[in-house]
Amino acid sequence: MSRIGKAPISIPSGVEIKVAPNNEITVKGPKGELKLAMDPDIKLEIEGTTATVVRPTDQKRHRSLHGLYRALVYNMVKGTSEGFSTTLEIVGVGYKAAVEGQIIELSLGYSHGLFIEMPKEVQATATAEKGKNPTLTLTSHDKELLGLVVAKVRSFRKPEPYKGKGIKFQGEVLRRKAGKSASSK
């Protein structure tokens, strides 16, 4: 058995899981609603406040899907009950972020500002404290969508290894390179 796949998923109060006949799972909670179309071979069994993912055989395909669907359902339950959050740190002189509604404006050293429209499921907040790097916090109930949005925002100016300028995750440690060394003539 897969160590991840056999672990039961506890369902917190306020979260409701429904399994449709076509094996589509719907998770509803206080933060939102998510849907997942599961493979027809893999089943989700709900008993009281726990859910368990069950596979029919020990085939390699079923073993690989077992842990995958357990992780996806767990992330759906956690997202609809608590939500997910990622904080990005914007490092660089004059680099900043501003949020207006669902649009983020980034100033990242280009000749123009970058405007990014967020999906309605993702909320963004920007903070700028004196003496600290500006931060951009993105929150959502959908972990997959949040990861895609964070990757897109980060792609506009990835951290570079010499000065460390760019958009990085808060707490991320960058591998720094030494600059040019002076030549001896």
Side-chain angles (χ1 to χ4, degrees):
M1 293 282 290
S2 163
R3 279 191 289 183
I4 294 172
K6 70 180 177 183
I9 302 165
S10 64
I11 304 168
S13 61
V15 176
E16 184 181 318
I17 299 178
K18 290 182 184 172
V19 181
N22 62 350
N23 221 17
E24 183 178 76
I25 294 168
T26 306
V27 180
K28 248 186 209 174
K31 299 272 186 183
E33 179 179 339
L34 294 171
K35 292 184 180 197
L36 171 70
M38 277 180 65
D39 189 273
D41 294 342
I42 308 295
K43 302 291 179 217
L44 182 71
E45 294 177 353
I46 301 167
E47 299 167 8
T49 60
T50 60
T52 311
V53 178
V54 180
R55 65 176 188 231
T57 66
D58 270 349
Q59 291 179 12
K60 184 168 177 58
R61 181 175 163 279
H62 289 156
R63 287 193 320 245
S64 64
L65 293 176
H66 190 210
L68 168 74
Y69 283 119
R70 191 268 177 199
L72 291 175
V73 172
Y74 173 77
N75 286 338
M76 290 168 65
V77 169
K78 185 175 179 196
T80 55
S81 63
E82 302 169 25
F84 294 100
S85 177
T86 303
T87 303
L88 298 171
E89 200 172 323
I90 302 167
V91 181
V93 176
Y95 288 12
K96 59 186 175 190
V99 177
E100 182 126 356
Q102 286 297 97
I103 296 176
I104 298 174
E105 180 185 359
L106 296 171
S107 298
L108 299 174
Y110 297 116
S111 61
H112 57 281
L114 299 168
F115 295 89
I116 309 160
E117 186 175 354
M118 294 286 107
K120 65 180 182 345
E121 295 90 359
V122 178
Q123 290 77 39
T125 56
T127 58
E129 294 179 28
K130 190 170 181 156
K132 293 186 178 179
N133 294 323
T135 60
L136 181 67
T137 305
L138 301 168
T139 57
S140 177
H141 65 278
D142 189 349
K143 189 174 185 179
E144 182 181 1
L145 179 65
L146 181 65
L148 290 171
V149 170
V150 167
K152 184 66 177 174
V153 169
R154 193 175 145 97
S155 73
F156 290 114
R157 184 70 86 179
K158 285 193 176 163
E160 53 96 18
Y162 297 101
K163 291 184 179 178
K165 291 169 53 172
I167 301 174
K168 66 176 193 161
F169 295 106
Q170 192 168 33
E172 179 181 11
V173 178
L174 301 173
R175 288 189 61 193
R176 301 291 289 271
K177 292 182 177 179
K180 291 181 182 176
S181 58
S183 62
S184 56
K185 287 188 174 184

